Amino acid sequence: DTGVSQNPRHKITKRGQNVTFRCDPISEHNRLYWYRQTLGQGPEFLTYFQNEAQLEKSRLLSDRFSAERPKGSFSTLEIQRTEQGDSAMYLCASSLGTGFVSPLHFGNGTRLTVT
Amino acid sequence: AQTVTQSQPEMSVQEAETVTLSCTYDTSESDYYLFWYKQPPSRQMILVIRQEAYKQQNATENRFSVNFQKAAKSFSLKISDSQLGDAAMYFCAYQVGYGNKLVFGAGTILRVKS
């Protein structure tokens, strides 16, 4: 169990640029979640995959945000035309879903700063 | 909409003492799951303890235990024999169903004094 891996750890970008983050879940986990966490707040749900299917998207996920999970393995989260309000920690989590509640395993996150 | 409220932004406890962190939630569901997660500074979030709503017995994990009051929609975390390594942000979270999202509270910062 190597844990959930997220890259990069930090990303600084200028407003208007596009950024892409990657998440590698625990290898046997079929569920993958993206959350956003701003300073001093709890994580907010963005989207969720079961295998390669994106099953739920939050209304927080504007049309500038897109997430993919090709082949049900790693996932990417892309933000287009970044805005200063996008500055946050982006957390990825995975779990093994087999019909019972399996705990989420979180990665260390990608901290995005939009200048 | 489901909401989770943690009314204590910050708590302090003396090493070896006991502290209780509060959490209330709002839901119309009858079957759901509750969690406490710990997020140390600059480190990843880890699960501390979980509780199934259909279980009347309060969950316990070593020094961590919960007081689950379903009718009051309250889910507090008790940490006994506090240790320096317990210092972290603690989040209460709620989940409906097996694969659905977690809804988190705003968190409580726990400081442990030596």
Side-chain angles (χ1 to χ4, degrees), chain A residues 4 9 31 33 35 37 40-45 48 50 56 91 99-108, chain B residues 33 35 37 39 42-47 50 52 89 91 95 97-107:
Chain A
V4 177
R9 291 292 304 273
R31 292 179 180 156
Y33 303 78
Y35 285 82
Q37 185 178 20
Q41 297 298 315
E44 296 175 294
F45 170 79
Y48 149 58
Q50 180 150 316
E56 188 174 350
L91 297 171
F100 63 94
V101 175
S102 174
L104 267 59
H105 295 255
F106 283 85
N108 284 314
Chain B
Y33 306 88
F35 305 84
Y37 278 86
Q39 189 176 41
S42 301
R43 294 183 62 187
Q44 66 189 155
M45 191 155 352
I46 56 174
L47 178 67
R50 74 179 189 186
E52 291 85 350
M89 177 78 96
F91 292 101
Q95 178 180 1
Y98 296 143
N100 290 345
K101 61 184 180 288
L102 287 174
V103 177
F104 286 87

Side-chain angles (χ1 to χ4, degrees), chain B residues 16-59:
Chain B
E17 297 294 310
T18 295
V19 65
T20 299
L21 308 184
S22 300
C23 173
T24 58
Y25 57 94
D26 185 23
T27 184
S28 57
E29 303 287 340
S30 59
D31 192 16
Y32 50 88
Y33 306 88
L34 296 163
F35 305 84
W36 279 98
Y37 278 86
K38 169 185 177 182
Q39 189 176 41
S42 301
R43 294 183 62 187
Q44 66 189 155
M45 191 155 352
I46 56 174
L47 178 67
V48 174
I49 198 166
R50 74 179 189 186
Q51 174 81 42
E52 291 85 350
Y54 64 86
K55 290 186 177 179
Q56 293 185 338
Q57 187 173 5
N58 289 323

